């Protein structure tokens, strides 16, 4: 029985290894250059998203949905529409958090942690900045479904929150498909982007923090 279990375990590990392959430094540079080029060509993005939060202690999943609008440079509207209404707006160095009951404004330049987190959000949406990031060690993998980047935090503040962040790209490397954030607590958050529209006109009022 023990031998059977051992064989099964080895088989599972082998299958997992076949499912994804770590790229060599040369291959990684080539793919990151393609991602950077695609990101540089993206002036705006609009899509729907589904966010799934898995909580280890509660053994519970929480799902929320919404819409996202992005525009260069550093303009983002992340709006939850279900099961609650909540809006995160980033416009340059200004952030506005808005719910049905309150509105809060934050100066990103005066809040180091928030500055790092907003950087993660922007890089996760477009895939840009992965080649030059100083906040993470980046490893690139190829799987059956395409390519994904695994980010390991370097800085103390980020290490206290995240274990790893995975950014998954579509097969053509033109956009991000999903992002998986593994927290130190064992909780995880997965965000899937659907109905993506690139380089479409977006009203500036969507990013207003006034």
């Amino acid at each position: 029985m023990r031998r059977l279990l051992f064989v099964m375990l080895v088989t599972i590990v082998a299958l997992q290894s076949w499912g994804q392959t770590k790229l060599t430094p040369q291959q990684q540079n080539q793919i990151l250059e393609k991602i950077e080029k695609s990101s540089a060509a993206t002036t705006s993005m609009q899509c729907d998203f589904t966010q799934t939060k898995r909580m280890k202690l509660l053994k519970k999943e929480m799902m929320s949905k919404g819409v996202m609008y992005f525009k260069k440079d550093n303009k983002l509207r992340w709006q939850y529409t279900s099961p609650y209404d909540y809006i995160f707006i980033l416009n340059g160095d200004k952030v506005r958090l808005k719910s049905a009951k309150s509105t809060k404004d934050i100066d990103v330049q005066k809040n180091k942690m928030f500055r790092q987190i907003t950087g993660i959000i922007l890089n996760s949406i477009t895939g840009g900045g992965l080649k030059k990031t100083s906040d993470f060690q980046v490893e690139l993998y190829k799987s059956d479904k395409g390519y994904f980047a695994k980010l390991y935090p370097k800085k103390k503040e980020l290490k206290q929150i995240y274990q790893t962040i995975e950014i998954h790209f579509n097969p053509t490397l033109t956009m991000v498909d999903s992002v998986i954030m593994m927290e130190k607590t064992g909780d995880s958050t997965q965000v899937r982007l659907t109905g993506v529209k690139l380089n479409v006109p977006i009203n500036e009022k969507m990013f207003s923090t006034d």
Side-chain angles (χ1 to χ4, degrees):
M1 184 66 180
R2 289 181 180 178
R3 180 176 178 80
L4 177 60
L5 290 173
F6 175 76
V7 172
M8 290 175 64
L9 179 61
V10 171
T11 302
I12 291 171
V13 171
L15 288 173
Q16 288 176 336
S17 299
W18 293 337
Q20 62 184 44
T21 305
K22 184 178 178 181
L23 302 188
T24 65
Q26 182 179 2
Q27 291 171 327
Q28 178 162 310
N29 284 333
Q30 291 173 347
I31 296 300
L32 286 178
E33 284 179 5
K34 290 182 180 180
I35 292 172
E36 291 282 343
K37 186 177 179 179
S38 176
S39 175
T42 302
T43 59
S44 69
M45 182 188 298
Q46 177 180 329
C47 69
D48 300 319
F49 69 83
T50 301
Q51 178 178 301
T52 305
K53 175 79 173 182
R54 296 177 175 86
M55 303 184 72
K56 182 179 179 181
L57 293 179
L58 299 179
K59 296 182 179 180
K60 183 180 180 181
E61 280 191 4
M62 295 183 292
M63 183 176 290
S64 52
K65 297 183 178 182
V67 291
M68 183 275 289
Y69 302 88
F70 164 79
K71 193 173 183 179
K72 284 188 175 178
D73 286 310
N74 292 353
K75 294 179 181 179
L76 174 70
R77 182 186 182 97
W78 191 269
Q79 182 172 354
Y80 293 92
T81 56
S82 173
Y84 50 81
D85 294 322
Y86 190 82
I87 302 173
F88 169 96
I89 297 175
L90 170 66
N91 193 331
D93 293 332
K94 303 296 182 181
V95 166
R96 170 161 289 187
L97 307 175
K98 187 175 181 180
S99 67
K101 297 182 179 180
S102 65
T103 299
K104 183 178 182 180
D105 294 320
I106 300 172
D107 187 339
V108 176
Q109 289 302 318
K110 295 180 180 179
N111 189 317
K112 183 178 179 181
M113 175 58 72
F114 219 91
R115 186 167 66 249
Q116 291 174 331
I117 291 175
T118 53
I120 293 171
I121 294 172
L122 290 172
N123 285 341
S124 297
I125 290 170
T126 65
L130 294 180
K131 194 172 183 179
K132 300 177 182 179
T133 180
S134 59
D135 293 333
F136 295 92
Q137 174 189 337
V138 179
E139 294 181 354
L140 215 61
Y141 293 82
K142 184 176 182 181
S143 69
D144 298 335
K145 297 181 180 180
Y147 293 93
F148 69 93
K150 185 173 286 190
L151 282 60
Y152 297 88
K154 291 182 179 179
K155 297 188 176 179
K156 181 181 178 181
E157 297 89 349
L158 295 176
K159 284 183 177 181
Q160 291 174 348
I161 302 174
Y162 301 107
Q163 183 173 343
T164 59
I165 297 175
E166 289 186 10
I167 302 177
H168 292 252
F169 300 89
N170 69 340
T172 59
L173 298 174
T174 55
M175 67 184 73
V176 174
D177 273 344
S178 64
V179 179
I180 303 173
M181 293 167 279
M182 296 297 300
E183 300 175 23
K184 296 292 288 186
T185 59
D187 296 348
S188 67
T189 302
Q190 181 177 35
V191 179
R192 292 185 179 276
L193 307 182
T194 57
V196 178
K197 299 177 182 178
L198 296 177
N199 301 332
V200 294
I202 299 177
N203 195 317
E204 285 291 331
K205 291 182 180 179
M206 300 297 288
F207 310 106
S208 176
T209 56
D210 298 327

